[in-house]
Amino acid sequence: MASAASAPPTPANLKRIVGASLVGTTIEWYDFFLYGSAAALVFNELFFPNSDPLVGTLLSFLTYAVGFAARPLGALVFGHYGDRLGRKKLLVLSLLLMGGATFAIGLLPTHATIGTAAPVLLTVLRLVQGFALGGEWGGAVLLVSEHGDARRRGFWASWPQTGAPAGQLLATGVLSLLTALLSESAFLNWGWRIPFLLSGVLVIVGLWIRLSVDESPVFRQALAQAEARKTDGTQAAEKTPLVAVLRHHWRDVLVAMGARMAENISYYVITAFILVYATTSAGVSKQTALNSVLIASAVHFAVIPLWGALSDRIGRRPVYLIGAVGVGLWMFPFFSLIDTGGYANLILAVTVGLVMHGAMYAPQAAFFSEMFATRMRYSGASIGAQFASVAAGAPAPLIATALLSEYDSSTPIALYVIAAALLTIVAVALAKETRNRDLADIGPSDAAATPTSRTRDTHRV
């Protein structure tokens, strides 16, 4: 019999929770991806104008990577307070920080106006973006996972994951529209600022929706139980969430980090680096490259809930492995199709890549949530996800661009992604299946239990 905390909410309430998480994550990813697209297309000229074009792109991607460096700090801070104070409060704060930083980038003077101070200020604002996103992901997926019906947790928890392609779709769509309507000089002079300033409007909408939802019932129950144990003297003071995670769930953190490698690296190669490779090596126009990512992101958005639903039927691990293997096998055809310069081939390359990526990304929310106990779940899921991003997503466009510059070939880049896929396959193969776990029943002792007893005590049929 499931606990009261894990009883399914009403359909209307669950949809409101999912909608609030989806809108918030879409806005946050819009802000984050907008920077990545701008880094590939215009920041090299606006903030690093004295460099060779490819070197300028490398410097531009370096500021892009800085945002990832701040994500682990965001994971630690937001995870700590999210496990102590609740998911909702921290999600509101993350949205304000991200939106404020993005809006400020839209107002930022360029190198031509204030010299070297421009890239410095750009880097600072990118750090704020990374800090906010480091705390956003864990809270958004947990809010849905801890509200949702356990039998369909993979499906419902995958919806906040669609915020990534939705944000990519929105960011790429706005940029594509502006490049189509404006001349190149107008876009460089002022047009690039419009998508960043638009973030201010989106944040207001996101806050209105996010403030309307309730705190996670699983968290409220765990907090009440912890307070009761402290009051009656049956439990000593709780350890900080970070200490508890490293003590009870360190294996799960390593699994989550390994699982993120192929997912994170492949995504940024397919969506960010592609704008560099297609325009410089394959001779494709910026507009064509943006449109291919736009179309593929729409398909990506559609398939993520389908992969999430499949993970409810056959398990998180099998679906995740399909994605890791698929991405690895697709890399050489991916670049071969782009090299043809054909529009249809470019769309096919990016679309199949993102469909395979979706098989990893969709079950990830439920998979990581089910690994950790409630009072350390925000910290555990965020640390596992965001610390991996420093080694994976952060340097991926930078490494790919450097490899292209050094070897003038896509082969080393394909091998780089394949190596990441192999690492993810090993990590997920070593993980325990989590599909039937009751989130309210997972405690610190479960993490230390033997695999057999852990499965028996924490799974529901």
Side-chain angles (χ1 to χ4, degrees), residues 6 273 385 429:
S6 59
F273 172 72

Side-chain angles (χ1 to χ4, degrees), residues 120-403:
V120 171
L121 291 173
L122 182 68
T123 302
V124 170
L125 292 173
R126 182 60 175 174
L127 283 168
V128 176
Q129 281 190 324
F131 179 78
L133 191 61
E136 161 70 21
W137 181 83
V141 299
L142 293 189
L143 198 63
V144 176
S145 294
E146 292 178 342
H147 271 91
D149 178 356
R151 293 173 300 174
R152 303 187 68 197
R153 185 181 297 126
F155 171 73
W156 289 118
S158 70
W159 278 101
Q161 300 292 77
T162 65
Q168 179 77 67
L169 192 65
L170 188 58
T172 306
V174 172
L175 284 172
S176 181
L177 179 64
L178 289 171
T179 56
L181 295 177
L182 300 176
S183 66
E184 187 167 353
S185 61
F187 183 73
L188 283 173
N189 287 334
W190 55 268
W192 68 272
R193 297 181 184 276
I194 295 174
F196 288 91
L197 297 176
L198 179 62
S199 178
V201 178
L202 297 177
V203 167
I204 293 172
V205 175
L207 283 175
W208 176 70
I209 295 174
R210 190 161 273 186
L211 286 169
S212 69
V213 302
D214 298 324
E215 181 56 81
S216 154
V218 172
F219 173 80
R220 288 202 308 265
Q221 177 182 295
L223 181 61
Q225 290 173 344
E227 292 297 328
R229 286 194 294 267
K230 281 193 282 187
T231 301
D232 62 23
T234 59
Q235 177 175 298
E238 287 184 292
K239 288 182 170 58
T240 62
L242 174 60
V243 172
V245 166
L246 295 180
R247 178 179 177 183
H248 297 292
H249 287 284
W250 62 269
R251 291 182 182 85
D252 295 316
V253 169
L254 292 178
V255 166
M257 291 177 67
R260 281 276 281 173
M261 298 305 289
E263 177 267 307
N264 221 215
I265 289 173
S266 66
Y267 188 79
Y268 290 105
V269 168
I270 293 168
T271 61
F273 172 72
I274 185 64
L275 299 178
V276 175
Y277 184 82
T279 55
T280 59
S281 295
V284 175
S285 69
K286 290 180 181 179
Q287 184 69 44
T288 299
L290 283 168
N291 287 345
S292 68
V293 175
L294 189 69
I295 293 168
S297 293
V299 177
H300 194 210
F301 180 92
V303 300
I304 284 177
L306 301 180
W307 285 122
L310 184 62
S311 78
D312 286 326
R313 289 181 171 273
I314 67 173
R316 318 299 182 212
R317 291 170 68 250
V319 175
Y320 213 113
L321 288 171
I322 289 171
V325 172
V327 160
L329 293 176
W330 185 245
M331 275 303 102
F332 280 111
F334 172 79
F335 285 108
S336 296
L337 286 167
I338 295 171
D339 288 338
T340 66
Y343 185 38
N345 286 343
L346 184 60
I347 294 173
L348 178 63
V350 181
T351 300
V352 174
L354 288 183
V355 168
M356 291 296 101
H357 171 270
M360 293 182 283
Y361 200 54
Q364 190 179 97
F367 191 28
F368 290 7
S369 299
E370 292 159 348
M371 290 181 181
F372 302 96
T374 301
R375 292 284 281 159
M376 58 190 81
R377 185 170 292 134
Y378 202 144
S379 295
S382 296
I383 290 169
Q386 304 307 335
F387 273 70
S389 70
V390 176
L398 193 64
I399 290 173
T401 304
L403 289 172

